[in-house]
Amino acid sequence: MKKEKVCIIGLGYVGLPLAVQAALRGYEVYGLDNDKEKIRKINSGKSPIKEDFLDINLPKVNIHATADPKVIKKCDISIVCVPTPIDEKKLPDLTPVKGAIEAIIQNFKKGQLVIIESTINPGVCEEMIEPMFKEAGKIVNKDYHLAHCPERINPGDPKWNVTNINRVVGAFDKKGLQWAADFYENIVDGQIMQMSSIREAEAVKIVENSFRDINIAFVNELAKSFDKMGIDVVEAIKGAATKPFSFMPHWPSCGVGGHCIPVDPYYLIERAKLSGFDHEFMKIARKVNLSMPEYTIELLQDALNEVKMPLNGTTVGVLGLSYKANVSDLRESPVKELIKLLKENKANVLTFDPYVTDKSTVKNLSELFKKSDAILLATDHTEFKKISSEDLKKNGIKVVIDGKNCLDKESIKESGMVYKGIGRR
Ligand code: SAJ
């Protein structure tokens, strides 16, 4: 088989594993990115992203990483893997996707397959991307093929990665659909589902991530109500999870962060509005999840009242900065909001995150414990789960707020400290 040439646009946590896996499966792979340092590292076989799959496999393959978009013209397939964040008004920001499409148009290769992996809302391919090509005189299914295969990378996941996660693919025509499906069949050892249209493919990712946001909001609301009723919500959810069918546990916490879960629902909420539908339920779920940092600070104030300490002037040691366990990613991290609220209440804030030491205010856990009156665990890094009540007690810690319900509640309480989890008294 003639080695097909593939250009991956955007070499982040989605594009780089895809580039490596495509190269491992025999494609000639070019990578396009605007970060020169990232390009240098990749061309020297070093991964700019901490991920086992990359650390092991990047040195084995030959990816031509470059900042020069002319490389697109060489390739049979171009795959867009750039970020799709939301702006300060929580509206979808498709600027990076537009930039990638412009680069493909400027360096157009007739007959190319263009695949969008970036998360986009239903309608973006037909209402934004295809019109951009048409504007430049490039007709879909004639001059190029356009497909969508939503990314499903789960950063830090030891089991699921680009080699084995099932995928869905949608396109404008059968040739584009089959070509894209063949590509993913070649590189993924999993199911590749061909959708009846590109719009259904665009909807899949939003559905799966909104599902997660709503279910997290459900248990966050339970946590607030069970706090008032003295019920341990974690135990109740674990009990519900013994039901072997039709229950999927989610867990309450001090907030929902990351580049997917708190972002993707807004894509559907905003687009559905244009079609005259108001996603009330999804908006309420977002509101509940966005309220969790404030709720966590209220728990801290209640706990400090029990030991007659005002938040004003108290030194609070915040454990964790990143949005989820064992990653260094700060995007949409709820910890930002927690720190803002602590400072608004005139607390002295110290922070330590072993994955983000450059933004931590102390060098290690023991320094944090020594200097703090109260502890607020905001990220459930594995290292933090080993914290013992002795570590805390011997440093005079009086209050522990467990924002990810991952500490040993009973032993902290037995040591005479005030413990509050999210939905756990
Ligand atoms: N969180 C909770 N309670 C939960 C689960 C998560 O509060 O029960 C919080 C986390 O602490 C974090 C945020 O939500 O702040 C997001 O956590 P996440 O586990 O969903 O992690 P992400 O953002 O990396 O989500 C990715 C998504 N993958 C893709 O979009 C391709 C998501 O679809 C996956 O479901 C998720 O990983 C996963 O299952 O780990």
Side-chain angles (χ1 to χ4, degrees):
M1 174 186 84
K2 177 179 85 60
K3 256 192 174 192
E4 273 193 314
K5 295 187 177 73
V6 182
C7 180
I8 311 283
I9 305 175
L11 296 174
Y13 73 92
V14 174
L16 188 53
L18 180 66
V20 169
Q21 180 62 4
L24 285 171
R25 291 293 169 92
Y27 289 87
E28 188 172 333
V29 179
Y30 295 82
L32 183 59
D33 201 290
N34 50 22
D35 179 332
K36 294 249 188 320
E37 176 54 18
K38 191 185 282 187
I39 290 165
R40 189 191 59 73
K41 277 190 175 169
I42 293 167
N43 286 334
S44 63
K46 280 201 209 68
S47 171
I49 302 169
K50 178 102 198 67
E51 190 77 55
D52 292 349
F53 172 78
L54 292 171
D55 294 336
I56 296 163
N57 293 297
L58 182 57
K60 291 180 198 163
V61 295
N62 184 12
I63 291 170
H64 318 279
T66 176
D68 179 0
K70 284 203 243 0
V71 75
I72 295 170
K73 232 189 294 243
K74 288 184 186 167
C75 294
D76 308 297
I77 303 175
S78 279
I79 307 181
V80 176
C81 300
V82 295
T84 48
I86 42 174
D87 62 22
E88 61 293 335
K89 291 200 256 3
K90 306 279 185 212
L91 293 169
D93 175 6
L94 292 167
T95 313
V97 171
K98 280 188 190 134
I101 299 301
E102 266 143 29
I104 295 172
I105 291 171
Q106 303 305 327
N107 300 279
F108 192 72
K109 159 120 188 224
K110 188 164 171 54
Q112 198 179 65
L113 169 62
V114 177
I115 302 173
I116 312 295
E117 279 219 2
S118 304
T119 303
I120 50 180
N121 55 268
V124 164
C125 286
E126 291 156 294
E127 297 162 7
M128 184 192 94
I129 296 176
E130 190 275 330
M132 284 176 70
F133 279 100
K134 198 167 178 182
E135 184 70 24
K138 315 296 179 196
I139 308 306
V140 70
N141 306 340
K142 178 171 157 290
D143 300 317
Y144 71 104
H145 293 277
L146 180 57
H148 178 54
C149 177
E151 63 89 3
R152 275 183 173 163
I153 293 290
N154 182 25
D157 190 319
K159 178 170 180 244
W160 296 107
N161 59 48
V162 67
T163 66
N164 58 10
I165 296 172
N166 299 333
R167 308 294 294 268
V168 301
V169 186
F172 269 73
D173 71 338
K174 284 236 173 306
K175 178 168 184 334
L177 181 62
Q178 196 52 58
W179 191 356
D182 290 346
F183 171 75
Y184 287 101
E185 294 283 0
N186 288 337
I187 70 162
V188 177
D189 301 329
Q191 181 198 352
I192 308 300
M193 180 176 169
Q194 298 188 23
M195 308 302 283
S196 57
S197 91
I198 202 156
R199 205 170 269 233
E200 270 82 16
E202 291 167 329
V204 162
K205 177 69 178 296
I206 309 289
V207 166
E208 60 197 39
N209 282 357
S210 302
F211 167 87
R212 191 160 173 79
D213 194 49
I214 286 167
N215 279 280
I216 296 169
F218 168 56
V219 293
N220 279 334
E221 184 171 87
L222 281 182
K224 291 182 175 181
S225 109
F226 285 13
D227 263 343
K228 294 206 175 307
M229 295 157 58
I231 298 169
D232 183 316
V233 73
V234 171
E235 201 181 328
I237 293 166
K238 283 181 181 163
T242 60
K243 183 178 172 189
F245 49 85
S246 63
F247 181 80
M248 187 174 178
H250 287 73
W251 308 100
S253 85
C254 58
V256 174
H259 41 279
C260 304
I261 309 306
V263 170
D264 297 355
Y266 293 110
Y267 273 67
L268 181 55
I269 292 167
E270 291 310 315
R271 179 57 191 77
K273 215 186 276 179
L274 297 179
S275 301
F277 186 79
D278 181 17
H279 273 283
E280 288 170 72
F281 182 44
M282 285 172 64
K283 288 194 293 189
I284 289 170
R286 287 278 69 239
K287 196 158 158 265
V288 170
N289 288 337
L290 285 168
S291 77
M292 295 316 287
E294 191 172 353
Y295 182 70
T296 304
I297 299 302
E298 285 165 14
L299 291 174
L300 172 61
Q301 285 169 316
D302 294 349
L304 288 169
N305 288 343
E306 288 180 38
V307 293
K308 298 186 176 38
M309 286 175 72
L311 185 49
N312 185 332
T314 292
T315 300
V316 181
V318 176
L319 292 179
L321 293 169
S322 47
Y323 80 88
K324 80 169 182 180
N326 308 330
V327 298
S328 58
D329 196 334
L330 301 176
R331 280 175 292 181
E332 304 290 321
S333 173
V335 190
K336 263 181 252 178
E337 180 65 11
L338 286 168
I339 292 169
K340 176 170 161 282
L341 293 168
L342 285 169
K343 290 184 172 168
E344 281 171 3
N345 284 280
K346 300 193 178 21
N348 306 318
V349 182
L350 299 176
T351 60
F352 175 66
D353 187 319
Y355 289 81
V356 196
T357 48
D358 60 321
K359 292 191 169 55
S360 301
T361 63
V362 296
K363 288 189 198 54
N364 52 46
L365 270 183
S366 51
E367 185 185 345
L368 189 96
F369 292 158
K370 276 202 191 71
K371 293 180 176 174
S372 301
D373 306 311
I375 291 294
L376 196 177
L377 184 140
T379 311
D380 46 342
H381 292 314
T382 305
E383 172 174 340
F384 292 163
K385 292 180 181 172
K386 298 176 196 131
I387 291 170
S388 72
S389 47
E390 291 73 32
D391 297 335
L392 300 167
K393 185 75 186 163
K394 75 182 182 209
N395 285 289
I397 301 291
K398 297 178 179 58
V399 162
V400 177
I401 304 298
D402 187 357
K404 293 289 178 185
N405 292 331
C406 66
L407 296 173
D408 184 342
K409 153 176 143 177
E410 294 314 332
S411 83
I412 290 170
K413 291 170 86 163
E414 277 151 26
S415 306
M417 290 174 274
V418 177
Y419 171 96
K420 288 189 190 300
I422 309 297
R424 300 180 88 197
R425 286 249 169 271

